[in-house]
Amino acid sequence: MIHVGSAVVLGLGLTLQAAQAQDEGGSGIALAREYARKGENEKAAFLFGRLRSEEQAAPNVLPDYLTVLQNLKRYKDAEKLVKKAIRQRPEELSYGVALGALYTTAGDPAAATKQYERLVSQLTAEQVVPVATEFMRRSLPEWAEKTYLKGRTLAKDDTEYAPQLIQLYTQAGQTDKVMTETLRLVQDDEQQLPFVRNMLQNSLREDKDFDALEKVLFANVQKFPERAVYSELLLWLQMQRRDFTGALVQAKALDRRGRTEGARVMELASIAQRNKDYESAIAGYDYVMREYRSGMYYRLARQRLVQAREEQVRSTYPVDPAKIRGLISEYQNVLTELGKTPETAPVLRNMAALYAFQLDEKDKAMTMLQEVIDMPRASLDVVDEAKVNLADIYLLRSEPWEATLLYSQVEKSHKDSPVGYEAKLRNARLSYYAGDFKLAKSHLDILKEATSREIANDAMQLSLLITDNTAMDTAGVALRDYSAVELLVFQNKLDAALKGLDNLLQKYPGHALTDDAWYLKAQLQRRMGDYPGALTTLEKITANPKYDVLSDDALFLTASIAEENLQDREKAKTLYNQLLVKYPGSIYTAEARKRFRKLRGDAVN
């Protein structure tokens, strides 16, 4: 019981005069909030009640006052407080939401539902966003959804509030609703395509989500062939899944519809080539050559077609010398047809690389590269790439000083560019091969910040290899032997490299380099066509939990050998699935998932 007398509030130890004095300047609110923070809810409620009587203080006081009343379980007082606030300020819609939340806290969910329904049913168009925002603030997404849908009814537009609903469904993980809303939004407004892609990117998480969207998009492409947006989305989705064969179909359709003379297909083929899907890349370049023989992309497609075939041949082990000579003939045909010009200089450079690295005809290769370097009006990029190739050949010939001179020239002329970074990486590797790990690491530490992710990753991996194997052994004795083997690999002396690895494994049993040595040995065995030997070597890594760093690499390589070299589709499918389950965060996950789906027969084209 509270008795007021002589300006003393019994049980609270406060004088009304003190409270009123503190109200002047707003410090009374601060004091009340401090009591609430300390859990002294009776004191806080008394002060908030005094402050609430001041009409101007009501907006500031109500939320805190309501909270302490609920803490005290004085739900009737709280209800009266909110209802009075609603009468006084009907435009403050958050009070209506607060009343429903109060009923929930008081254990009356039916009353809460009734209050929310009443609030939503009485909304005007201007009130939709603030009410939905308040529902979201109170973690009531289902009522925020109903609010936006009410707003859609008021607007008589089934795309109204689509961005807000998409965001809401994305946060709630309701992928099916995200798909429905995004497709509805974009069907008549292609300007929304970037937003829709971003929302789908954030929402799609599992294979079944991608499958469901792909199925809907295929249906819409067939049902509404005049709406390019569905083909655009399907192309984007298939590229996300690295399904370049399917994406090529859509790129061709968009190319014909947009009359881009092969531009869309060239873009897709280039991405497929970078992702090592050579079949799709070759099919794309071939399409442009057939359909647009007099078009602006014909010459480029002609060159890239042979380049893609070369990459395909060089990645199929063991490399067939006859196919290499066939590629050189194709390159020669390109030069005969298009001539030796600054535009075809890359063709000459590619031919030189084949002669040097695949056929061991170094002198012929060096002559061709010098021709590129001396070619009038050839782009600086092509010239410097030729210099990098020429430096590589000097390294093949065991002339490191000539090699580093050329690498350094390219570094200087191409600072902060991919070609310059590549030259710097080659110089770092040259120091690494020579056993100068300190100098190599100084180059690599700079390259870890390179704009090219591939170069930065390569630099990071080599830097870690050096760090890990010179921490305990500062002289890096074992690492010197290992780097010497890697130089032999670079020089294509595979038999000598294999022998070097066997010696290293015998000389340093249990060394930290053991798993790296086994992995490299398996790669060499595959290149030389010894598939059973490669699988046996890889099993030394996959069967031993001690070598967990390279376990996913070894498992993916094992699956690749089963699929590509042994043609054992079932075994490969099992291994890819094993990688997906065991190493969900692996860099090989996306590629393994794509290959697994293809082997399972999921292709829908």
Side-chain angles (χ1 to χ4, degrees), residues 268-464:
L268 185 279
S270 179
I271 295 171
Q273 186 175 349
R274 287 201 299 273
N275 282 273
K276 298 180 172 51
D277 186 342
Y278 302 118
E279 291 293 343
S280 296
I282 289 167
Y285 296 136
D286 187 59
Y287 166 85
V288 174
M289 287 174 57
R290 285 197 326 272
E291 298 294 322
Y292 304 102
R293 190 167 184 81
S294 58
M296 67 177 77
Y297 295 107
Y298 174 82
R299 295 168 69 90
L300 185 58
R302 183 82 174 84
Q303 295 180 51
R304 287 189 177 175
L305 176 65
V306 188
Q307 289 169 354
R309 283 180 177 156
E310 177 192 335
E311 290 176 30
Q312 184 180 43
V313 168
R314 291 176 63 178
S315 63
T316 303
Y317 303 117
V319 176
D320 186 346
K323 289 184 177 179
I324 295 296
R325 293 201 178 276
L327 284 168
I328 289 175
S329 295
E330 285 193 60
Y331 276 132
Q332 189 58 60
N333 291 338
V334 172
L335 292 176
T336 301
E337 180 182 350
L338 305 180
K340 287 184 180 180
T341 68
E343 289 73 27
T344 59
V347 172
L348 201 55
R349 186 178 70 83
N350 287 349
M351 286 177 67
L354 288 176
Y355 276 119
F357 286 91
Q358 301 300 327
L359 301 178
D360 199 27
E361 297 184 30
K362 302 184 189 69
D363 291 341
K364 183 180 287 190
M366 294 177 81
T367 300
M368 297 172 79
L369 289 169
Q370 196 60 51
E371 190 176 349
V372 172
I373 293 168
D374 296 337
M375 187 178 289
R377 298 186 306 281
S379 77
L380 182 60
D381 279 359
V382 174
V383 168
D384 277 356
E385 285 167 357
K387 284 184 178 180
V388 169
N389 291 144
L390 188 56
D392 289 346
I393 296 173
Y394 278 120
L395 194 50
L396 288 182
R397 290 167 38 141
S398 300
E399 298 180 48
W401 290 111
E402 295 292 339
T404 195
L405 181 64
L406 284 168
Y407 291 143
S408 299
Q409 283 180 17
V410 176
E411 274 190 63
K412 192 175 294 186
S413 65
H414 261 88
K415 287 183 178 178
D416 301 322
S417 76
V419 178
Y421 289 141
E422 184 62 44
K424 195 172 194 67
L425 181 60
R426 302 290 177 103
N427 244 337
R429 286 194 180 280
L430 189 55
S431 300
Y432 166 72
Y433 293 146
D436 191 343
F437 303 130
K438 186 176 180 180
L439 180 58
K441 202 165 183 312
S442 68
H443 287 297
L444 295 168
D445 288 342
I446 296 171
L447 285 169
K448 285 190 286 188
E449 306 301 323
T451 52
S452 166
R453 186 171 64 180
E454 187 175 346
I455 289 175
N457 286 343
D458 287 348
M460 179 73 77
Q461 287 180 9
L462 184 53
S463 179
L464 286 173

Side-chain angles (χ1 to χ4, degrees), residues 147-167:
T147 302
Y148 285 128
L149 293 176
K150 171 67 175 180
R152 180 171 286 180
T153 301
L154 293 172
K156 297 178 181 178
D157 180 353
D158 64 1
T159 63
E160 193 73 12
Y161 303 110
Q164 292 93 332
L165 283 165
I166 292 168
Q167 189 75 43

